[in-house]
Amino acid sequence: VQLQASGGGLVQAGGSLRLSCVASGFTFVNYAIGWFRQAPGKEREGVSCISSSGGKLFYADSVKGRFTISRDNAQNTVYLQMNSLKPEDTAVYYCAADIFPGDNATLDPYEYAYWGQGTEVTVSS
C-alpha cells in the first residue's frame, strides 16, 4: 500500500491550494481516504474524509465551507481543494486509507492503518 500526497506550498491568507493523494498497491475503490494535518506542537487532527464510493463526505468544523474533498477512482486519486486559507491551516497534511464497513469513513486518525508521507502547507498572513 502506497499513498503519495502532493500539492502543498506557501500561499497567502485567502488563497487556495489543491492537495492530491495518489494511491497504489491496493484496490483503491474499496478504501475510504482521509486527510489529516499536524501543526508543530499539536496532535494530528482529521480534516476531511471520503467513503470508498465517494457517497459520504465528512469535514472538520474548522474547514467546513472552505475545503472540498473528492475522489477519482479511475485515477486512484483523492483531492482536497482548500479555499480561503487561513494562517491556522498551516500544517503538514497527510492522507491515509483504510476499509470501513457500510461505505463509511471517519476523521479519527487512529482508525487508519495506511499513511502517506506529508505535504507541507504554509499560509502567511
Side-chain angles (χ1 to χ4, degrees), residues 1-3 21-33 50-56 70-78 96-105 114:
V1 174
Q2 288 192 332
L3 299 166
C21 175
V22 179
S24 61
F26 61 99
T27 307
F28 183 73
V29 296
N30 292 341
Y31 284 72
I33 304 293
I50 186 167
S51 65
S52 57
S53 74
K56 295 182 182 178
S70 61
R71 67 187 294 158
D72 182 343
N73 283 346
Q75 298 295 324
N76 284 10
T77 303
V78 170
D98 214 317
I99 294 177
F100 300 99
D103 187 35
N104 218 328
Y114 306 105

Side-chain angles (χ1 to χ4, degrees), residues 16-44:
S16 298
L17 285 173
R18 187 175 80 158
L19 305 184
S20 299
C21 175
V22 179
S24 61
F26 61 99
T27 307
F28 183 73
V29 296
N30 292 341
Y31 284 72
I33 304 293
W35 281 101
F36 303 86
R37 66 187 181 188
Q38 188 164 19
K42 294 188 177 181
E43 290 190 358
R44 191 168 297 188

